Structure formats: C-alpha cells, structure tokens
Amino acid sequence: MLSLFIILPLLSLMVINLLPKELMKKIGTLMSLILPLAQMLVVVFIFLGILDIRPGPADHFFKFNLAIDNISLVMLFSIAIVILVTLLVERHLIPDADERFNFLNLVLITFTGMNGIVLVQDLFSLYVFLEITTVATFILISFHKKRDALEGAFKYIILSALATVGILSSIALIFLISGDTSFAVVHQALQNSRHAFLIDFALAIFLGSLFIKGGLVPFHGWLADAYSSAGRAISILLAGIVTKTLGVYTLIRLVSSVFGFDTEVKGVLMFIGALSIIIGAFAALGQHDFKRLLAYSSISQVGYIILSLGCGTPLGIAAAVFHLFNHAIFKSLLFVNSAALELQTGTRHMDKMGGLAQKMPITGVTSLLASLSTAGMPPLSGFWSKLLIVMALWFSGHFAYAIIAVLASVLTLGYMLSLQNRVFFGKLRPELENVKEASFGLLFPMIILAGIIVGVGALFPFILNSLIFPIIIK
Amino acid sequence: MTDPLALFWITCVFVIMLMIAGLYCIFVTYNLIRVLIGLELLIKAVTLLLVVAGYANNHLARSQAFVITLIVMEVIFIAVAAGIVIGLYYHNQSLDVRKLRNLKG
C-alpha cells in the first residue's frame, strides 16, 4: 500500500509519455491533478483510520523499506497541496504547450522523489530520493534558460553537490560502524558503538549538509538566488515544499528517529535556528524584489522550525511539524500572489507598485492573510504554530531563545507589513491604472490556500487534539 | 595487509587527499568546467570511501549495490550540471565564474 505513494507518480509519468503527445499536452495536467487529490484523500483516510496500511500486492513486488507516522502524514498532505496548486496555476504561468508538458514531467519526478523522502526508512534510499528531487529541481530552476535562472541553478548545484558529498561520506562512516543503513539498525548501532569520535564526525557532516539543503544561515547563499531567479510556477513548488522536504523534514526525521537528541545536537540546532531567524528577517527588511523578500522570509521561518526542533521535546517536534505545514501553505500562497502580481504589472520591484489593493482585491486580501499568518497574528494558523514553538522553548527552559522567537516575530510583522504597504496600500501609481485582477485560474488556488489558513486557525482545538497530541504522545 | 580496518585507514588517507584536491579545484579555479571536475573528484572520493567501508565491515555486497547506484546518480547529476554550464556559456560567451555576479542582495 505504502509503495503506491512512490509508484503511482512514477507510473503516471510513464503513462503521459507513452500516450499520444499532442493529446497529453492538452489533458496531461488535468489527468495528473488526480494524483495529488487522491493523495490528500488517502492521507485523510489513513489519518481517520478508515484505510489501513497493510502491505498490499504492490509491496510484494517492490520491497521498499517504508513506514508512515503522523509526521509523514502531515508532510504527504502538504506535498499534495503544493503540487496541486502548482499544477493548477501552471496553465496560466507557462503559456507554451511544449514547455508546459516538460514542466509537468519534472513536477511528477519531484513528486515521486518527495514522497520517497518522506516514506523511506533507510539512509541510502533516502540519499537516492534526495538526489532524484534535487536533480529535477536543478532543471526546474533553469527551466526557461534565462541567464539569471542558470546562474541561480549553478550556485545551487555547487552547494547541493557539496551537501551530497557530505551526506554520502557520513553515510559511508555510519555504514562502516553499523553494517547496515536502515534507520532502526543505525539507531541501535549508534547507541552501542565504541567509535564515539567517528560518530560525532559523521553526525556533524550530516547535519551541516542538511543545513545546506534546507538553506539555513550560514549556508543560505544559494536560496535567495534560486528562488528569485526561478520561473513563476517553479518558485511556488520550490519555496512551498521542495527545500522543506529536502532539508528540513529530513533533519526532523533523522534527528528524532536516528541520531537522537544529544546536548550538542540540540545546541547546534537551536543556535543555527535562532541565527537563521534573525539574519533572514533583517535581510528581508532590506529587499526591494518581491520574491527575494519572500525567499529571505523563508529562511527566517525555517529557522523557527529548526529552533523548535532543537528543544528535543515532543512538543517541540510537534510544533516544528505544524509550522512546516503552515509554512508550506502561506509561502506557496505568497508565491502565487507574487506570480499574479508579476503577470499583471510586469514587475517584481516593490517600489514600482503601490495601491494595488483597489485593482486586485482578491490578490490583496489573500496576500494580507498570508502575511499576517507568517507574522503570527491570531487567529490565523501561523499564530498557533508560533505559539506552540514559544511554549516548547519556554517549557524546555530555553528562555532566551523563547524571547528571541517572540521578538523576531515582531520583525516578521515589520517586513510583511512593509511589503503590504508598498505593494497594496497607499496611492495607486498612474502607470498602474490599467492593471486588472488576475484570471480565475490563479485566484482559485489563492482562495483555497487562504481558506486553509483561516480554517486551520479557526479549527485549531480540533487539530491540536487530533494531530498534535498524537505526535507528542508517540 | 590482513586487517581490514588497517586497510580502511590507509585508504582514508587517499580519500582525504582526493577530497582536498577536489575542494582545491572548486575553490581556486575560475573555470566552470573545472568546478565540475572538482565535484567529480569529490564524488569519486566518496565512492572509494563507500567501497572500503563495505570491505572493512564485511558487507561488500551491500556496498557494491550502493556504489553502482551512486555511479548512476552521479552520471545524471553531472549531465544536468554540464547542461547548465553550456547554457551559461551561450549567455556569457565565456566559462568564467566571475561573470556570475548578476544576482545580489
């Protein structure tokens, strides 16, 4: 049953390439929409206990070592939402049919890779799926072959290759010690091993490499370039879920179920998290490009996730996963907004915009909701996850970090409101008189995502009981 | 050389030398193709490390599987990277890293 999460996207990739190409250019995207929708339904069904996950016939053919828990369910759901949104807006952001078809193929490869990352229980398979997703991402970033995009992609390639080499060396050392690479065996072996120095060394390389993949300070150089130079549809996918799955989810999974929370690991995670929060927020304050601001905001928000993970308590992990979900929602919403703005006004420079709320009311309102959720305004979803993060920090005795988290949230509000102020409020500039609201195809995903932000915020007590407590108790 | 672990440490010296050579190649050169060659050196070093780790703990079959997978992944990776270098060459008419200064801030 579980291997279907990996096999079905791969299979549909083959199917859309085997069927007549002219036909698939027209309906390929529509057909592929079934996949993320089905994944969302299946995740909800597994979550409610309606569907059980016993090994089915597919698992006897493909003997992956897979497992699922609440963290993976949340991730699978977020992946499905962001893929769905990307496929929905694709038609409006990529006009050329050939390019759209290539884009669809790459998105499906990324989908396969991310589902694999979330489900595998083995270090080497994890590496393989990381690499599948990363290579598909390189091509996606340089998709339109613009000069800037190629430059951003090349920077990403260099840093990502260094991270890959680090991950592989670390896997080789762990393999030397434990003789196997499955999570359970490695966890046992690391506990009982005599080679303390080798383990610490391997762990340090692994964590550093994942920091590069997740774009955390001080390895964030590639992230803003890659996000801002990538095409409009691509940066939604990239910022919404890909780097979070590659770097952050992997970090959560490995630290919580393989490496364990040493004092040093906790210290490093919290320090890097706090550093990313602060530097990301200050860098975002000085930006004039809409997408670059969002990229730095992304670094800052990922910092929150890592800071919360660094508590090492079940509440911290639950808060990290919840914030990861919220981040996927509001960041992809903001990137859809930026795509709509760029499409309608022809610029991403925020100083050249202003007063657009009158002309693009739905884009304005949804991006205001997303900004406030990012900044942690009650009662939106971002508030609850930040509250949980601060609580986790406070209860585990890290008062200084809790205060940093609260204060940095003011900075977040600062840059997000400055964005709103420069783009949507104020006087309408004369050259923007003829700007119209984006087409319905772009507004529809915005409304869905904004609905999720408001809905999760309003239904928080239900989510706390059904989603967050199970993670804590486990 | 009968002790597998002794062989491991000796090979480690070569792995580290290869890694230093690769990193040196990446950080010193201004040529995009040479950067890719540096990355290749680094990946080769890791491949060697995986082989010898499997030899040292008597799981040679498993490490063979890893290495074959790794070689396939590496080929795909380098092919894509080389494609991007070609794209950059078409735009800049040069392979100089110093021309990649467009994105800032």
Side-chain angles (χ1 to χ4, degrees):
Chain A
M1 159 79 205
L2 282 181
S3 54
L4 287 180
F5 279 113
I6 300 168
I7 293 165
L8 280 184
L10 208 57
L11 210 62
S12 61
L13 180 74
M14 291 174 195
V15 167
I16 60 167
N17 280 289
L18 288 176
L19 292 177
K21 202 171 173 194
E22 289 308 314
L23 181 71
M24 281 301 115
K25 275 181 199 165
K26 291 200 186 81
I27 61 165
T29 313
L30 218 58
M31 277 169 58
S32 313
L33 280 178
I34 301 168
L35 278 174
L37 281 173
Q39 176 159 331
M40 282 159 80
L41 271 183
V42 167
V43 167
V44 170
F45 282 166
I46 293 176
F47 184 67
L48 296 176
I50 300 173
L51 210 65
D52 71 41
I53 48 170
R54 270 181 315 202
D59 296 284
H60 297 302
F61 282 111
F62 302 94
K63 290 196 190 308
F64 289 114
N65 183 7
L66 303 176
I68 202 162
D69 60 5
N70 274 322
I71 303 180
S72 350
L73 281 177
V74 174
M75 279 313 288
L76 286 175
F77 194 71
S78 329
I79 290 170
I81 289 181
V82 179
I83 296 274
L84 181 71
V85 168
T86 316
L87 291 179
L88 279 175
V89 301
E90 175 208 57
R91 175 176 298 274
H92 306 272
L93 300 180
I94 304 175
D96 185 62
D98 277 327
E99 283 195 346
R100 210 157 54 215
F101 185 69
N102 295 341
F103 180 77
L104 174 63
N105 283 328
L106 288 166
V107 169
L108 285 177
I109 296 175
T110 322
F111 194 17
T112 316
M114 285 193 295
N115 276 352
I117 292 172
V118 171
L119 292 173
V120 289
Q121 295 293 311
D122 175 282
L123 281 176
F124 198 79
S125 318
L126 180 74
Y127 154 75
V128 172
F129 283 112
L130 276 177
E131 199 69 0
I132 290 172
T133 319
T134 319
V135 171
T137 317
F138 296 153
I139 310 175
L140 278 174
I141 295 174
S142 52
F143 191 68
H144 299 293
K145 301 194 196 71
K146 300 256 173 61
R147 190 180 179 284
D148 285 355
L150 288 168
E151 188 182 326
F154 193 76
K155 285 180 185 167
Y156 184 29
I157 283 182
I158 298 299
L159 278 168
S160 178
L162 290 178
T164 302
V165 168
I167 288 175
L168 273 173
S169 339
S170 175
I171 289 177
L173 292 178
I174 291 172
F175 174 57
L176 172 76
I177 295 164
S178 62
D180 195 2
T181 51
S182 81
F183 286 175
V185 177
V186 171
H187 184 64
Q188 279 296 323
L190 294 190
Q191 299 281 314
N192 306 326
S193 173
R194 296 169 288 119
H195 305 279
F197 170 73
L198 263 186
I199 292 175
D200 286 349
F201 186 64
L203 208 82
I205 307 176
F206 215 122
L207 288 185
S209 311
L210 290 178
F211 289 155
I212 297 181
K213 291 256 184 201
L216 283 148
V217 176
F219 309 109
H220 62 294
W222 63 270
L223 191 135
D225 292 350
Y227 280 16
S228 61
S229 64
R232 291 183 283 253
I234 293 127
S235 46
I236 298 168
L237 184 67
L238 198 59
I241 199 77
V242 171
T243 47
K244 276 77 209 168
T245 316
L246 287 180
V248 184
Y249 167 78
T250 323
L251 202 60
I252 295 177
R253 168 64 66 207
L254 288 181
V255 172
S256 62
S257 59
V258 182
F259 297 150
F261 287 98
D262 292 342
T263 327
E264 293 89 10
V265 172
K266 280 193 210 170
V268 168
L269 285 176
M270 294 183 105
F271 179 72
I272 295 282
L275 202 66
S276 303
I277 293 176
I278 296 167
I279 291 184
F282 275 113
L285 275 174
Q287 297 303 320
H288 299 285
D289 182 328
F290 200 108
K291 271 163 97 175
R292 261 193 119 73
L293 189 148
L294 295 184
Y296 281 109
S297 149
S298 211
I299 295 173
S300 176
Q301 299 306 314
V302 169
Y304 274 103
I305 299 170
I306 300 299
L307 183 63
S308 169
L309 175 68
C311 295
T313 55
L315 180 65
I317 298 172
V321 174
F322 189 36
H323 198 60
L324 194 56
F325 170 75
N326 282 336
H327 183 272
I329 304 295
F330 59 62
K331 199 46 53 95
S332 24
L333 174 53
L334 282 166
F335 270 96
V336 178
N337 291 142
S338 97
L341 279 172
E342 197 185 347
L343 208 62
Q344 301 299 322
T345 64
T347 179
R348 290 200 318 245
H349 202 286
M350 288 189 289
D351 297 336
K352 291 183 185 154
M353 303 182 199
L356 284 171
Q358 322 161 20
K359 295 283 175 189
M360 307 172 76
I362 298 178
T363 312
V365 170
T366 48
S367 91
L368 184 64
L369 281 173
S371 303
L372 290 179
S373 180
T374 314
M377 272 286 148
L380 300 170
S381 61
F383 166 72
W384 299 109
S385 55
K386 281 200 178 167
L387 183 71
L388 283 179
I389 289 173
V390 173
M391 273 164 64
L393 287 165
W394 194 266
F395 289 148
S396 57
H398 300 95
F399 304 116
Y401 283 126
I403 291 166
I404 289 178
V406 173
L407 290 181
S409 173
V410 178
L411 272 178
T412 315
L413 189 63
Y415 65 73
M416 276 304 174
L417 284 185
S418 138
L419 177 151
Q420 291 294 323
N421 188 25
R422 280 189 276 177
V423 176
F424 292 107
F425 301 144
K427 252 176 62 180
L428 189 69
R429 295 170 77 94
E431 63 267 28
L432 297 175
E433 270 310 322
N434 299 320
V435 173
K436 289 193 192 64
E437 179 63 285
S439 60
F440 181 71
L442 280 174
L443 294 180
F444 180 60
M446 284 185 208
I447 295 168
I448 297 178
L449 290 172
I452 294 176
I453 290 177
V454 176
V456 169
L459 295 176
F460 179 69
F462 168 71
I463 287 167
L464 187 71
N465 275 325
S466 58
L467 200 73
I468 295 168
F469 283 146
I471 295 179
I472 294 177
I473 290 160
K474 185 182 76 80
Chain B
M1 201 48 64
T2 45
D3 184 13
L5 216 57
L7 185 80
F8 174 76
W9 289 115
I10 293 172
T11 320
C12 256
V13 176
F14 284 99
V15 170
I16 290 169
M17 275 162 58
L18 264 177
M19 283 203 167
I20 292 172
L23 286 175
Y24 182 77
C25 187
I26 291 173
F27 289 117
V28 170
T29 183
Y30 289 119
N31 187 311
L32 292 176
I33 298 286
R34 286 199 190 129
V35 172
L36 288 194
I37 293 173
L39 290 182
E40 276 285 281
L41 279 177
L42 283 176
I43 299 175
K44 291 291 182 289
V46 174
T47 315
L48 190 57
L49 190 64
L50 266 174
V51 174
V52 80
Y55 178 76
N57 66 8
N58 281 325
H59 287 89
L60 209 51
R62 196 184 290 268
S63 91
Q64 270 179 15
F66 288 171
V67 167
I68 290 168
T69 319
L70 174 58
I71 290 170
V72 174
M73 300 306 291
E74 175 203 347
V75 169
I76 300 166
F77 178 84
I78 289 295
V80 171
I84 287 170
V85 169
I86 292 172
L88 280 169
Y89 180 73
Y90 279 133
H91 280 282
N92 293 340
Q93 294 304 317
S94 107
L95 287 171
D96 199 326
V97 177
R98 284 166 292 189
K99 294 252 168 96
L100 301 182
R101 295 279 156 84
N102 244 15
L103 301 167
K104 272 189 199 138

